[in-house]
Amino acid sequence: MKKYKILLAISLIAIGLMSALVASINEKKEEQKQINSVPQMDNRWETKSEEFRTHYPRQFDSWRKTKNSDEIHDMLKEYPELVVLWAGYGFAKDYNAPRGHFYAIEDNRNTLRTGGPVDEKTGPMPTACWTCKSPDVPRIMAEQGDDEYYSGKWSKYGSDIINPIGCVDCHNPKTMELQVNRKYLDDALKAAGITDLANASQQDMRTMVCAQCHVEYYFAKKTTSAGKKAAVVTLPWANGTSVEAMEKYYDDLEFSDWTHKISKTPMLKAQHPGYEMWKTGAHGKNNVSCADCHMPYTQEGGIKYTDHNIGNPLENMSKTCMNCHRVSEKSLLANIAEKKARKDELHTKAMKQISAAHLEAGKAWELGATKEEMAPALKDIRHAQWRWDYAVASHPAFFHAPEETLRVLGTALEKAGDARIKLAKILAKYGASDYKAPANYSKEDAQKIIGLPFNKLIEEKKQFNDGLLQEWKKEAEKKGIYNPESTKDVEHKTSYN
Ligand code: HEC
Ligand code: HEC
Ligand code: HEC
Ligand code: HEC
């Protein structure tokens, strides 16, 4: 009898375990079904990402982890030459390394570059500065049309563009398919003869959703049909996406982003040609997409989903690199460190050369050099800085495209050298052959050299933060497009206080 009781007990336990397992499998299947199914959002343009949480908790929770990448890294402090390179332009005021997507709006409002507007008509920047920061941008473009979106000041949309990069930036909320909602990318891909989005494969789309923002662009000036002045985000790809092709595009248009305050050079600012650089590297050439490394598939129990915590893939190598590479993590990391060191060497050399060229040109102007004398040297400076910027502004291009990064930096150094030879001759002509441009200065020194009223900028920003910004938040809440809870515990971090 005893034997039977034991057997019975064992069977009961086994049955219990089996049912628990089946229940758990069913539950996971339910969840997997939910992930694969498409809930109907009432609102075609739901830009509050937290509204997607009930349907897609894993994607939402991992997306929200981009909040953990919150360190401010002041690039002007690390490389004070940047202040001289960007004299007369917003970037000399404030420039930090990127943080998590969660901070896109926060950082756009905090940077000294966007200034301290006091109403919807003031401030230094156009509306276009919001373009790669928020899902509210494609919403406004759809509701008001591109022409209206691109006209007016940045401050015009303070209470409309309020949620950081989120679901609707990359997905069609009705179908949850990947979707690019910014038309300028499609226009540019067609102009460059690369593809058009309607024919892009799923694998291509895993890169294209990022290329909406991680690309080179400029603001093309335009008068709209309603007679308004507009600054339209345009990708300069009509001749191709290489550094020389875009340089020619800008030269042919005689376009400049600004005139350099010291050297008076008509300058170009490279934004972040991340997609263009990636295309030239080993991964891009094999169509290893941005998402393959930055958004790996993740298995949790029986559930497979895409990790939406977009950050540094090296923090997650087993799920990214190791899917494809057979060598050890350690040897890959050593390889990457070497690539970075090689880039840093040329990067710093180029930066110092270009900074010296600007200051030498400034001295030549001071001594009475003429426009005609200066023009050839200024052209070299323009091209040198554009190339240097192109190579380093899409930050880890040293990894995405190591050879191209070094090639482009090599040509930047060459152009800077050409400029300095020409300037040395001019300086000699005006009796200043012994002029030595300041070097090894700090961020504060550099801001003095270029005459930047740093403290005034901070004061204006503080008034904006306490005043207009608070009104924007209240209005956005009233419009039903902003949930203050979503940013409740965000720490206020900037480079300047
Ligand atoms: C709507 C525009 C937009 C889209 C779409 C976008 N990004 Fe970004 N990305 C940004 C901006 C803006 C920042 C800088 C945010 C900040 O510093 O506040 C950024 C930052 C980053 C960072 C740095 C994160 C960190 O923690 O340092 C990485 C990595 C990144 N993006 C990769 C991607 C990838 C991969 C995709 C596509 C899957 C993508 N991004 C899509 C605009 C975008
Ligand atoms: C920067 C672009 C980007 C953003 C922002 C983004 N996604 Fe995704 N999402 C992707 C990519 C890329 C994939 C992979 C698609 C593929 O390869 O089929 C994906 C896949 C998905 C899937 C399909 C299932 C899976 O896990 O693969 C769901 C559901 C999803 N995302 C929901 C969301 C939600 C909810 C948000 C907002 C909290 C969001 N996504 C924000 C790019 C993005
Ligand atoms: C083969 C893997 C891989 C692919 C593909 C890839 N990346 Fe990266 N990405 C990395 C690694 C690794 C880093 C971090 C490098 C470092 O800083 O050490 C990185 C860093 C970044 C950063 C962070 C910059 C910073 O300073 O915080 C951005 C932005 C970025 N990638 C965007 C993209 C975009 C956009 C694409 C597609 C066009 C892409 N990546 C494709 C591996 C990849
Ligand atoms: C989806 C597959 C895939 C993933 C994921 C991937 N790689 Fe690669 N990797 C490739 C392919 C394909 C090549 C090109 C190989 C060739 O040309 O022989 C390559 C080449 C490389 C090279 C040599 C080329 C160069 O640029 O120096 C390095 C280094 C490298 N990968 C590092 C990484 C690291 C680090 C990661 C993770 C952040 C990673 N890869 C993720 C597929 C991948």
Side-chain angles (χ1 to χ4, degrees):
M1 270 318 272
K2 213 172 158 197
K3 221 165 143 192
Y4 284 117
K5 273 193 185 153
I6 292 174
L7 266 179
L8 185 66
I10 291 176
S11 314
L12 283 176
I13 291 172
I15 291 170
L17 281 175
M18 290 287 281
S19 350
L21 189 65
V22 168
S24 131
I25 289 174
N26 281 343
E27 206 176 283
K28 295 218 169 96
K29 273 200 182 136
E30 254 329 291
E31 192 183 341
Q32 189 75 57
K33 232 166 78 192
Q34 172 128 44
I35 286 179
N36 297 339
S37 79
V38 179
Q40 289 297 309
M41 304 295 291
D42 303 337
N43 179 355
R44 163 68 182 88
W45 286 108
E46 181 52 75
T47 54
K48 298 192 292 299
S49 290
E50 59 273 16
E51 294 297 314
F52 289 81
R53 183 165 199 278
T54 38
H55 305 300
Y56 305 114
R58 289 170 201 257
Q59 287 82 358
F60 174 85
D61 289 346
S62 57
W63 167 84
R64 201 166 189 282
K65 281 196 194 138
T66 60
K67 180 168 174 287
N68 298 342
S69 174
D70 68 341
E71 283 312 309
I72 295 278
H73 186 83
D74 181 349
M75 298 298 278
L76 301 181
K77 200 161 183 178
E78 183 166 346
Y79 300 117
E81 290 87 358
L82 296 177
V83 176
V84 171
L85 262 46
W86 292 325
Y89 197 52
F91 281 86
K93 300 175 185 169
D94 195 7
Y95 174 54
N96 303 325
R99 307 197 282 169
H101 280 171
F102 188 84
Y103 295 100
I105 288 290
E106 181 82 0
D107 288 342
N108 190 245
R109 290 189 306 223
N110 282 341
T111 179
L112 297 177
R113 299 202 297 279
T114 51
V118 292
D119 58 30
E120 78 280 10
K121 292 206 165 63
T122 50
M125 292 300 184
T127 53
C129 278
W130 292 109
T131 307
C132 62
K133 308 290 183 272
S134 168
D136 291 309
V137 168
R139 173 177 65 78
I140 301 268
M141 285 170 164
E143 287 169 2
Q144 305 183 358
D146 279 16
D147 274 0
E148 182 60 32
Y149 168 72
Y150 285 122
S151 49
K153 290 280 186 190
W154 175 77
S155 49
K156 171 175 142 190
Y157 285 129
S159 65
D160 290 302
I161 299 178
I162 198 102
N163 297 291
I165 303 165
C167 319
V168 180
D169 277 307
C170 302
H171 292 284
N172 175 333
K174 282 255 187 261
T175 64
M176 276 331 252
E177 303 259 303
L178 290 182
Q179 180 170 300
V180 167
N181 291 313
R182 292 164 173 81
K183 191 173 146 293
Y184 58 77
L185 177 61
D186 204 24
D187 294 344
L189 288 166
K190 286 180 192 152
I194 298 174
T195 178
D196 63 59
L197 288 172
N199 293 315
S201 66
Q202 186 65 21
Q203 179 65 8
D204 290 337
M205 288 305 284
R206 290 165 56 85
T207 294
M208 289 306 165
V209 287
C210 317
Q212 293 180 83
C213 304
H214 292 274
V215 284
E216 166 63 11
Y217 64 83
Y218 73 108
F219 297 160
K221 302 262 179 318
K222 168 179 166 180
T223 306
T224 68
S225 50
K228 292 187 181 174
K229 285 208 163 50
V232 181
V233 171
T234 309
L235 316 188
W237 293 357
N239 304 328
T241 56
S242 70
V243 75
E244 289 85 359
M246 292 196 216
E247 183 180 277
K248 181 168 183 323
Y249 176 99
Y250 286 133
D251 283 356
D252 289 350
L253 279 180
E254 294 185 20
F255 176 82
S256 61
D257 285 291
W258 89 105
T259 300
H260 197 274
K261 197 172 168 196
I262 299 169
S263 69
K264 314 251 189 300
T265 309
M267 298 298 296
L268 296 171
K269 174 77 191 76
Q271 307 298 339
H272 22 66
Y275 163 76
E276 296 92 324
M277 277 301 233
W278 161 86
K279 251 160 59 77
T280 70
H283 294 105
K285 286 200 190 297
N286 286 286
N287 212 9
V288 178
S289 71
C290 316
D292 286 336
C293 290
H294 287 278
M295 302 183 72
Y297 287 117
T298 298
Q299 191 91 23
E300 252 173 41
I303 309 280
K304 196 176 165 201
Y305 69 99
T306 297
D307 184 348
H308 279 62
N309 179 9
I310 296 174
N312 188 338
L314 299 181
E315 286 165 14
N316 205 359
M317 288 178 83
S318 61
K319 289 192 180 127
T320 58
C321 325
M322 293 314 169
N323 278 335
C324 301
H325 289 287
R326 295 281 166 272
V327 296
S328 69
E329 290 193 7
K330 213 172 135 206
S331 77
L332 274 183
L333 286 173
N335 176 315
I336 295 172
E338 231 172 20
K339 288 186 198 314
K340 182 163 188 305
R342 290 187 184 117
K343 183 274 300 183
D344 281 345
E345 188 181 337
L346 290 194
H347 167 51
T348 14
K349 281 194 174 135
M351 219 163 36
K352 287 184 193 297
Q353 292 282 337
I354 302 168
S355 152
H358 281 298
L359 296 167
E360 286 159 1
K363 186 75 187 172
W365 285 121
E366 234 177 80
L367 296 171
T370 66
K371 267 191 181 159
E372 291 67 35
E373 278 173 326
M374 293 293 280
L378 300 192
K379 194 166 178 198
D380 287 336
I381 294 181
R382 169 180 164 98
H383 290 164
Q385 185 159 328
W386 156 250
R387 288 162 184 237
W388 156 83
D389 210 357
Y390 184 98
V392 299
S394 55
H395 305 277
F398 76 84
F399 172 70
H400 293 147
E403 287 98 349
E404 184 66 353
T405 300
L406 297 183
R407 183 188 77 81
V408 172
L409 283 174
T411 68
L413 266 170
E414 184 198 15
K415 299 269 176 197
D418 289 350
R420 293 192 69 194
I421 291 171
K422 288 172 190 153
L423 290 165
K425 284 187 190 148
I426 301 173
L427 286 172
K429 181 178 163 193
Y430 288 91
S433 52
D434 59 348
Y435 173 73
K436 269 211 159 20
N440 301 325
Y441 41 78
S442 67
K443 173 182 172 184
E444 289 70 30
D445 293 341
Q447 289 182 327
K448 271 185 209 126
I449 293 175
I450 71 162
L452 190 82
F454 193 60
N455 291 330
K456 181 165 161 269
L457 295 172
I458 298 173
E459 200 39 54
E460 284 168 6
K461 186 61 98 182
K462 284 206 173 118
Q463 282 173 15
F464 161 77
N465 275 336
D466 297 340
L468 190 60
L469 177 57
Q470 302 312 318
E471 287 171 37
W472 285 357
K473 289 183 179 173
K474 276 188 217 132
E475 273 172 50
E477 197 182 343
K478 261 193 241 149
K479 290 179 192 170
I481 57 164
Y482 172 60
N483 175 1
E485 286 293 306
S486 67
T487 49
K488 196 181 57 180
D489 50 349
V490 169
E491 254 184 273
H492 184 74
K493 287 191 182 179
T494 65
S495 65
Y496 51 84
N497 60 2

